[in-house]
Amino acid sequence: MTAGGSHLRTSESQPGAPATTSAPAKGRAYVATIEGFVGSLMMFVGSIGTGWIANGSPMIRQPVVIALRTEGWGVTVSTVLLTVGAMLLIRSWLRLGQRLADWGHRSLRSVVIAVSAWSVPLLFCVPVFSRDVYAYTGQGRLVQEGQNPYEVGISTLNNWFALGADPAWAENRTPYGPYFLWLARGVVGLTGAQPDASVLLFRLLAGAGVLLCVIYVPKLAELHGINGARALWISVANPLFLISFIASAHNDALMVGLAVAGVYFAATRHYFAGILLVTASIGIKPITVLLLPFIGVMWAGPSASWLRRFLIWGATAGISLAVLVISGIPYNLGLGWTWAIMDPTPGYTGYSPSGFLGQQVEMLANAIGLPGGTLATWLRTGMKWTAIGLVLLLMFRGDYPRAVRRMALAFTAVVMLSPIIQPWYILWFLPFLAVTGIRDDWQIRSLYVAVTFFVVFGAQDQLSVWGFVELPIPASSLAFVTALAFTFYLLFLDVHTRKLLIEGRPTDLARRGWQWVAERLAARRAESR
C-alpha cells in the first residue's frame, strides 16, 4: 500500500459525479444551510415540550417548560415544531446536495459549515427520538458504585427512575464495551449524575465521534477516487445522522467515528494504529468487531498467500483481544461485553426486512393452516445465517483494491438481515458505503427513502407526552399527519425536491419506495394502538 492510497479504488462513482440526475441550481449553498439551521432551531424549541426530560431534572419546574408540557396548546405547538423542523432538515439536506451539484473544490467547506450549523441547536435539545442517553448515566453510576453493568441492570440503583431512563433498561445488562463504561463513569463523576449536565457531556462525546467522521470520511473517500464532499454530505450531513448522533446523543457516534478513523489508518498502511482505533470502537460498542477481518485483508497485501492471510487474521484478532482483555481489568469488567455478540436481543422490528418478510410469511402460512410463527422464525434465523455467510464470502473472495467496499457490504448485510433494526443502525455502515461510492441512481434514492422513513418514524414514535394532557388529536397522530403532509410536499409540490425523489428513469422504483414508507408507517401506527 502507498500513503496516497492509489491501491484502493472503486468504480461505484466518479469524483466529480453530480448529486442529482436533474439540472439543479448550483451555488448558494448558504441558503440551504440557513434553512437547515432554522429547522434545527425549530426542533430545539419543540423538544422542550415533547422531548424526554428526566424526572430528576430541575427543568420540569420551570414555568415555560411546565406550560409547554402540560397545556394542550403547548404540546401541540411543540409537536408541530419538532416535526416540521425535522422535515425541514430533510429538505435542506436535499437542497444542499443540489446546490453543490458540481462538487467543486469549495464544496467540502460548504458541507462542513452546514454540518456545524445544523448541529449547534441540536446540541442543546432536550433528548428526542430516543432516551437511551439517560441509561448511560445509570450505567456510569453502576460502575461508580462498584457494580458490574454486564451482570445487573440499573434498577439496583437508588432512585434510578429519576434518571430518566426507559424502564426497559431496568433489568437489562449493558451491551456496550468497557471503554464506554469508563467514559460513562467519568461523566457521572463530573456531574454527580445530574441528568441535564450528564446529557450535555454525553452529547459532547458523541460530537467527538461526529468530528472524527467529518475529518476522516473525506480522506477515506479520496483514497477510493470518490469526491470527499459528496461522501460527507451523504453520510454525515443527512438529518438522520445529526438527529441520532447529536440530538439523541447515541454512543454509536463515537463508535462509528473511531471505526472510520481506524479504517483510514489501515488503508494508508498504518495497520497497528488502525487496529487500535477499531479496537477502541469495539470498546464503545462491540458490533465493529466485524471490521477486524477486513483490516487483516488490507494488512496481508494484494498477493498474500492463504497462509499469510490466516496468520495476519490471527495477529489482528490477537492484538485486539489482548488490548480488550487488559481493558477489562479496571472495575472488574472482564469480557462481559461479549454477551452482546453471542446473545443478541430477541424479537424483531416490523420495518426490518427480516421482520417484515417474517410477518408476511406468518400471515400467509396461518391462512392455509401451516404453523406461521415457526416458519417466520425459521426465515429470520435463515436470514441471520445468510448474513454470516456473506461476511465469510466477502472475507475470502474479492479484489484486494475493494477491501473497504467488501467490508462495507459485509457490515450492511449484518445490519439489514438482522431481525432488529433501530433507525440509527443504518448509520453504522453508511459512511463506508459513501466513501466507496453510492451511485446517483436507485442507490441514492434508496437512501432518501430510508432517511425520510426513519425521521418520520422517530418524529411520531418517540414523543414524551404525559397522559393527563388533554389534546384534540393525539400528539403522535399529529406528528404523523404533519410529517406525511410535508413528505407529500417534497414529493409532488416542491419543484426542486420532486426532481430528486420521483422524476427521472427510476420513477416507478422511487414511487414504490415512497409507497412502502407510507405503508410501513401506517402499519406501525396500527400496531401502537
Side-chain angles (χ1 to χ4, degrees), residues 82-318:
L82 182 71
T83 308
V84 173
M87 299 305 295
L88 194 57
L89 264 180
I90 290 179
R91 185 183 188 277
S92 305
W93 174 57
L94 296 174
R95 291 292 289 137
L96 181 67
Q98 286 181 312
R99 292 183 180 278
L100 297 176
D102 59 355
W103 299 107
H105 68 281
R106 294 185 178 180
S107 57
L108 180 59
R109 179 175 179 272
S110 296
V111 176
V112 171
I113 290 173
V115 169
S116 303
W118 300 348
S119 297
V120 170
L122 300 180
L123 190 64
F124 299 99
C125 275
V126 174
V128 293
F129 287 39
S130 172
R131 49 175 161 164
D132 284 355
V133 65
Y134 292 120
Y136 304 163
T137 302
Q139 289 156 10
R141 276 187 60 192
L142 286 175
V143 178
Q144 187 182 49
E145 295 182 11
Q147 301 188 65
N148 191 334
Y150 297 127
E151 297 175 356
V152 298
I154 61 176
S155 62
T156 62
L157 297 169
N158 293 328
N159 202 27
W160 70 271
F161 196 71
L163 296 174
D166 189 320
W169 285 100
E171 303 295 332
N172 282 357
R173 298 172 292 168
T174 181
Y176 308 132
Y179 299 147
F180 183 72
L181 294 179
W182 294 4
L183 293 171
R185 185 193 184 283
V187 167
V188 169
L190 289 172
T191 65
Q194 201 283 330
D196 304 323
S198 297
V199 167
L200 181 58
L201 288 187
F202 281 120
R203 277 218 180 98
L204 293 177
L205 290 174
V210 173
L211 180 60
L212 286 171
C213 289
V214 169
I215 293 171
Y216 289 106
V217 162
K219 292 177 180 290
L220 191 55
E222 295 294 342
L223 290 181
H224 293 83
I226 303 299
N227 184 279
R230 185 171 185 268
L232 189 66
W233 169 74
I234 287 173
S235 58
V236 178
N238 86 70
L240 182 63
F241 189 99
L242 296 178
I243 292 171
S244 298
F245 287 173
I246 301 295
S248 299
H250 279 118
N251 58 5
D252 306 62
L254 191 55
M255 176 196 79
V256 172
L258 289 167
V260 171
V263 172
Y264 170 77
F265 276 95
T268 52
R269 281 190 162 184
H270 299 87
Y271 307 116
F272 190 67
I275 292 171
L276 291 181
L277 284 166
V278 171
T279 300
S281 175
I282 296 169
I284 301 297
K285 207 166 184 179
I287 185 63
T288 47
V289 70
L290 176 66
L291 307 185
L292 288 178
F294 298 94
I295 300 294
V297 168
M298 288 184 269
W299 186 4
S303 57
S305 65
W306 283 111
L307 177 60
R308 175 175 168 78
R309 291 182 189 181
F310 278 103
L311 289 175
I312 292 297
W313 278 331
T316 302

Side-chain angles (χ1 to χ4, degrees), residues 345 347-350 352 354-355 380 384 414-421:
T345 304
Y348 66 89
T349 50
S352 69
S354 174
R380 295 185 185 108
K384 286 195 291 186
V414 168
V415 173
M416 296 305 295
L417 295 179
S418 171
I420 294 180
I421 299 178

Side-chain angles (χ1 to χ4, degrees), residues 301-386:
S303 57
S305 65
W306 283 111
L307 177 60
R308 175 175 168 78
R309 291 182 189 181
F310 278 103
L311 289 175
I312 292 297
W313 278 331
T316 302
I319 292 170
S320 182
L321 181 60
V323 172
L324 289 169
V325 167
I326 294 171
S327 302
I329 295 175
Y331 312 118
N332 297 313
L333 296 174
L335 290 175
W337 54 271
T338 56
W339 83 266
I341 299 174
M342 306 303 295
D343 184 24
T345 304
Y348 66 89
T349 50
Y351 50 76
S352 69
S354 174
F356 176 71
L357 291 174
Q359 286 176 326
Q360 308 314 305
V361 167
E362 182 173 3
M363 180 180 64
L364 292 173
N366 287 337
I368 60 176
L370 295 176
T374 300
L375 292 176
T377 300
W378 288 353
L379 174 66
R380 295 185 185 108
T381 301
M383 292 180 74
K384 286 195 291 186
W385 281 105
T386 299

